[in-house]
Amino acid sequence: MREIVIVGGGYAGFYTAWGLEKALRTGEARVTVVDPRPYMTYQPFLPEVTAGSVEARHAAVSLRRHLRGTRLVAGSVTGISNADRAVTVRAADGTVRELRYDTLVVTTGAVTRTFPIPGLTQQAIGLKHVEEAVAIRDRLMTAFDQAASSPPGAERRKLLTVTFVGGGFSGVEGFGELLSLATAMLRSYPELSFEDLSFHLVEARGRILPEVSDKPGAWVVRDLERRGARVHLNTQLVSAADGHVVLSSGEEFDSALIVWTAGNASNPVVHNHTDLPVDERGLVVVRPDLRVGTADEPVPDVWAAGDDAAVPDLASRVPGAHTVPNAQHAVRQGRRLAKNIVADLRGGKVRDYRHSSLGVVATLGLGRGIFQYKSIVIKGLPAWLMHRGYHVLAVPTWERKVRVLAVWLTAALYGRDLVSLASVQHPRDAFLAGGEPRRSGGGAG
């Protein structure tokens, strides 16, 4: 059988494999997906995971449960050699193996972009994976417990100070949801007041949410500030050493929770460890039909899609434009990619990827949102309902849709579940807290 290897099990990789399973005939090809995680993260739900509005597991789609006809290899791809038709995979235990392929699909996705800012790697946390979203939620809840037991002063202020760096969709949604959670939690903490909270959103540009136009973006800033947040535009993070935030504006404050959402960078595997053609940003050069290469020099049997690919945007009026790295494109590129690979295997005609944006929608906290499609702008509760409606339809598989809806309905009746499980990050602490074992004999009774 022909070997099809898909590097990465994110949106584009998952939907490519899912589409191939449905379209390939028995014995026509074997599909292998390589990814260090056993699930696909539905990233639009991560802000709601931080706020406890979506259960963490419901934002993760199991690869084994839904890709039953696909071979799954748990590991990280450390190199791609198309000249040898092989990818190098390192497993969690450090063992290294090679996978040979006849057809390669590169959907590694992007990674969080960081800068050499003092204290950043020691203090900050990202918002790209489920584990990070859960940690952010638990850290905020733990901080509330600690602050409630602390006297008013600098330590309490630091515990209840939250800083988000990056004003794109991920940062603004996460910031708005966490602000909504913190405000709601005050009802359960009579020792604390609204004045104890300090939320800061730092953005290097002069506006947030570049995906929407200027007026809706300015409305979001005003909405956040009305809710007690500080939005620092045209401002950069200078230092975060020991949790002491220093901004380029000269302002300084202590912050116990720092979340970094300042954009994406190309995957190091694609950028540095492959012989495939990449552009100046480190993205795989892709033709409109999602085949790697250019019109004059295509790379046979190699395809790419998602955040690690420079896919031409045929729906844009801007010459040379590429599709923006978001879920809307990655999902549809994966579906088109599966169809094109099957067509290519059977000697059929492949088609170019073209998709016009359906608009953008963002949650800003419980009951708050914004939607824009061209000149149409919807704000507040209607936009928030549209956000929930769109994403419950977009999350793959009916099993996940039903689970998410069940959590939302439960929360509507009983409110948020305000329980911190930060201790799961150190599961053996309680076991070790028992001290040294007894010297006398006897086992467990």
Side-chain angles (χ1 to χ4, degrees), residues 88-439:
T88 304
V89 181
R90 185 180 65 245
D93 62 2
T95 58
V96 177
R97 61 186 289 195
E98 274 196 350
L99 292 179
R100 299 283 176 173
Y101 62 82
D102 299 299
T103 298
L104 177 67
V105 180
V106 182
T107 54
T108 57
V111 297
T112 301
R113 179 183 61 183
T114 59
F115 298 98
I117 298 172
L120 178 63
T121 56
Q122 292 80 19
Q123 300 294 326
I125 185 170
L127 186 53
K128 187 175 281 291
H129 301 289
V130 173
E131 300 90 342
E132 294 172 322
V134 172
I136 291 170
R137 176 176 181 263
D138 287 343
R139 288 187 185 184
L140 179 69
M141 290 185 171
T142 301
F144 262 72
D145 289 332
Q146 294 173 345
S149 303
S150 303
E155 183 60 24
R156 175 186 283 189
R157 188 73 174 174
K158 178 179 180 179
L159 287 167
L160 298 180
T161 298
V162 176
T163 305
F164 271 65
V165 183
F169 254 77
S170 178
V172 171
E173 287 190 311
F175 185 78
E177 286 286 349
L178 211 63
L179 176 60
S180 178
L181 172 62
T183 304
M185 287 177 64
L186 287 174
R187 292 192 291 268
S188 301
Y189 290 84
E191 306 92 338
L192 306 176
S193 67
F194 182 78
E195 288 68 28
D196 291 321
L197 297 181
S198 183
F199 272 66
H200 299 263
L201 177 61
V202 181
E203 170 54 46
R205 292 166 292 189
R207 51 163 300 179
I208 61 174
L209 295 178
E211 296 87 349
V212 303
S213 54
D214 290 344
K215 287 186 177 180
W219 176 85
V220 173
V221 172
R222 293 195 300 272
D223 179 73
L224 292 173
E225 290 180 337
R226 279 196 299 267
R227 294 159 59 188
R230 288 281 309 280
V231 180
H232 306 264
L233 300 178
N234 296 310
T235 305
Q236 297 177 348
L237 178 66
V238 175
S239 175
D242 299 321
H244 183 70
V245 173
V246 180
L247 303 179
S248 59
S249 61
E251 189 169 352
E252 300 183 23
F253 51 87
D254 291 329
S255 180
L257 179 56
I258 302 172
V259 183
W260 180 267
T261 59
N264 297 324
S266 60
N267 195 295
V269 174
V270 171
H271 195 188
N272 303 318
H273 304 289
T274 177
D275 54 358
L276 298 175
V278 297
D279 66 9
E280 66 281 357
R281 296 172 297 166
L283 303 178
V284 181
V285 176
V286 176
R287 305 187 332 166
D289 60 4
L290 304 178
R291 195 190 306 269
V292 172
T294 63
D296 298 327
E297 298 183 20
V299 179
D301 303 316
V302 183
W303 310 76
D307 293 357
D308 63 1
V311 180
D313 190 353
L314 301 184
S316 174
R317 298 178 181 178
V318 179
H322 294 93
T323 58
V324 296
N326 61 22
Q328 194 175 134
H329 281 297
V331 168
R332 288 166 176 78
Q333 288 170 9
R335 290 171 176 163
R336 170 47 52 197
L337 193 48
K339 294 176 181 178
N340 280 357
I341 291 173
V342 172
D344 187 62
L345 289 176
R346 298 172 183 170
K349 181 181 179 181
V350 300
R351 296 185 178 181
D352 291 344
Y353 171 76
R354 177 190 293 269
H355 171 66
S356 298
S357 173
L358 301 175
V360 291
V361 61
T363 175
L364 304 173
L366 197 62
R368 294 178 170 88
I370 187 164
F371 167 83
Q372 181 174 15
Y373 175 70
K374 296 182 179 179
S375 61
I376 301 173
V377 178
I378 301 175
K379 307 169 186 175
L381 180 62
W384 178 78
L385 292 172
M386 292 173 66
H387 176 273
R388 288 207 157 182
Y390 171 78
H391 284 298
V392 79
L393 291 174
V395 66
T397 79
W398 278 102
E399 171 255 343
R400 275 297 178 261
K401 299 179 197 296
V402 172
R403 290 182 186 274
V404 171
L405 275 173
V407 172
W408 284 344
L409 291 174
T410 303
L413 293 173
Y414 300 106
R416 303 174 192 262
D417 190 349
L418 303 180
V419 177
S420 171
L421 295 178
S423 58
V424 300
Q425 299 175 40
H426 307 282
R428 298 184 68 247
D429 284 359
F431 174 72
L432 297 174
E436 297 182 1
R438 301 178 198 175
R439 296 184 179 180

